[in-house]
Amino acid sequence: MQHTKSESDVTSIATSSPPRSPKRPVYYVQSPSRDSHDGDKSSTMQATPNFNSPMESPSHPSFGRHSRNSSASRFSGIFRSSSGRKNGGRKRNDKGWPECDVILEEGGYDEYEEEKKLTRRCQALMAFLGFVLLFTVFCLIIWGAGRNYKPVISVRSLTVNNFYIGSGADLTGVPTKMLNINGTLRINVYNPATFYGMHLSSPSVDLIYSEIVVATGKFHNYFQPRKSHKNVTVQIEGTKVPLYGAGSSLPSTEGPIQVPLALSFELVSKGEIVGKLVRTMHRRRVSCETIIDSASNKPIKFKKDACTYT
């Protein structure tokens, strides 16, 4: 049976139901995203619809369970993504961060520093030994090259200023013949070394008669540069030298006489190749035979074959 609505029923229904509100415009809300914690300032734009009635709004009690479920799922998704399933069994510290195992190094830094110092000492010692070895080899090479350079000696002349033989007695009163002589010896010394000089010296320069030293001269020490010549003068003198049995065959100097004498001396040369660390030393012995005429004051020239150089 179909019932027809009366005008009063229609009017009551119209007054009981609220009128629909006009449609409102849609507006947007900017909310921070999860990436903003990492320094990213990007944001998401979400559209918030305009609901016509409170019943359509998500905050209505009828939709409360749905909203709680959605928010719970949203937060659970965040924690699940950050921690995952593995974080469920880990312990957390006071700040909420999961604890992790710490890798312990074998030994401390002190052992490493000691090994480093030991390595540096070994390297320094090896460098020092290498330098000493190289320097020693260098000095040996220089020494081998420089030891062949010997001074070249040439006896030029001997000038006798005074020559006298007479009778006398020695300090003990034994009668014997006595000899007085003085003269000047001139020699030339050449240093053939190309890179170092020489210190030259001689113990003594002697005039010998029958194995008796009748006159002696002093050779003054001096330094001679490399590749240079030098003329050296030595004063020789002998006063009241007893001849004993060797002078028995000699006449007195009342008249001119000739006496055979031998000139002998040793020249010592010392070369400093590398300062005082590397030195060379050579000894050259010179021996010359000559005859002295008491009546002549002319210089006695020595030929090259008249002297022996050893």
Side-chain angles (χ1 to χ4, degrees):
M1 182 175 182
Q2 186 176 6
H3 296 281
T4 58
K5 293 181 181 180
S6 62
E7 293 179 2
S8 61
D9 294 336
V10 174
T11 305
S12 62
I13 293 172
T15 55
S16 62
S17 61
R20 288 188 180 181
S21 60
K23 189 176 182 180
R24 296 179 182 179
V26 177
Y27 61 93
Y28 296 88
V29 177
Q30 182 177 357
S31 62
S33 63
R34 287 176 297 175
D35 297 334
S36 62
H37 297 283
D38 299 333
D40 187 7
K41 296 182 179 180
S42 63
S43 60
T44 58
M45 301 294 292
Q46 297 180 356
T48 303
N50 187 12
F51 297 95
N52 296 328
S53 65
M55 298 298 292
E56 298 177 0
S57 175
S59 61
H60 194 268
S62 62
F63 297 95
R65 185 176 180 181
H66 174 72
S67 62
R68 283 196 300 269
N69 293 335
S70 62
S71 61
S73 62
R74 191 164 54 245
F75 284 106
S76 63
I78 295 173
F79 285 110
R80 188 181 298 112
S81 62
S82 62
S83 60
R85 294 181 179 178
K86 295 182 180 180
N87 291 340
R90 291 188 180 180
K91 297 181 180 180
R92 295 181 177 271
N93 55 14
D94 297 338
K95 297 183 178 180
W97 294 96
E99 295 182 356
C100 59
D101 296 333
V102 179
I103 300 176
L104 298 178
E105 297 184 356
E106 297 180 357
Y109 288 100
D110 295 337
E111 297 179 358
Y112 175 74
E113 292 295 334
E114 290 179 0
E115 292 179 357
K116 192 173 182 181
K117 290 180 180 179
L118 183 61
T119 303
R120 289 180 179 177
R121 290 177 183 176
C122 293
Q123 291 177 354
L125 180 60
M126 293 178 62
F128 177 75
L129 293 178
F131 172 77
V132 171
L133 179 62
L134 290 177
F135 184 75
T136 303
V137 173
F138 172 75
C139 291
L140 289 175
I141 293 173
I142 296 298
W143 176 78
R147 66 189 302 267
N148 296 325
Y149 294 105
K150 301 179 181 180
V152 180
I153 305 169
S154 177
V155 179
R156 298 294 185 178
S157 64
L158 174 63
T159 303
V160 178
N161 301 322
N162 185 19
F163 187 82
Y164 176 78
I165 298 177
S167 298
D170 60 3
L171 297 176
T172 62
V174 177
T176 183
K177 287 186 178 180
M178 312 292 286
L179 175 64
N180 294 333
I181 184 174
N182 62 61
T184 302
L185 177 67
R186 290 180 175 86
I187 61 178
N188 180 269
V189 181
Y190 171 64
N191 179 15
T194 57
F195 52 89
Y196 65 93
M198 293 182 180
H199 293 272
L200 299 175
S201 62
S202 178
S204 64
V205 180
D206 302 328
L207 277 175
I208 303 171
Y209 173 73
S210 185
E211 298 183 359
I212 299 175
V213 178
V214 296
T216 302
K218 185 171 179 59
F219 189 96
H220 296 284
N221 302 342
Y222 73 96
F223 175 80
Q224 184 164 343
R226 60 186 180 88
K227 304 290 289 184
S228 63
H229 291 267
K230 186 176 179 60
N231 293 319
V232 182
T233 302
V234 181
Q235 297 294 328
I236 302 176
E237 184 177 2
T239 304
K240 295 182 180 182
V241 180
L243 298 178
Y244 299 110
S248 60
S249 61
L250 291 176
S252 62
T253 56
E254 295 177 356
I257 58 172
Q258 294 181 347
V259 179
L261 296 177
L263 174 68
S264 177
F265 65 94
E266 184 181 39
L267 187 64
V268 180
S269 64
K270 296 179 180 179
E272 295 182 354
I273 301 177
V274 185
K276 294 183 179 181
L277 297 176
V278 182
R279 293 182 177 183
T280 59
M281 185 176 68
H282 299 284
R283 296 178 180 271
R284 299 294 304 275
R285 188 165 186 84
V286 182
S287 179
C288 305
E289 300 289 338
T290 185
I291 297 176
I292 296 177
D293 188 356
S294 61
S296 176
N297 292 329
K298 293 181 180 180
I300 300 173
K301 302 291 186 180
F302 293 91
K303 296 179 180 180
K304 292 183 178 179
D305 56 352
C307 297
T308 304
Y309 304 93
T310 57

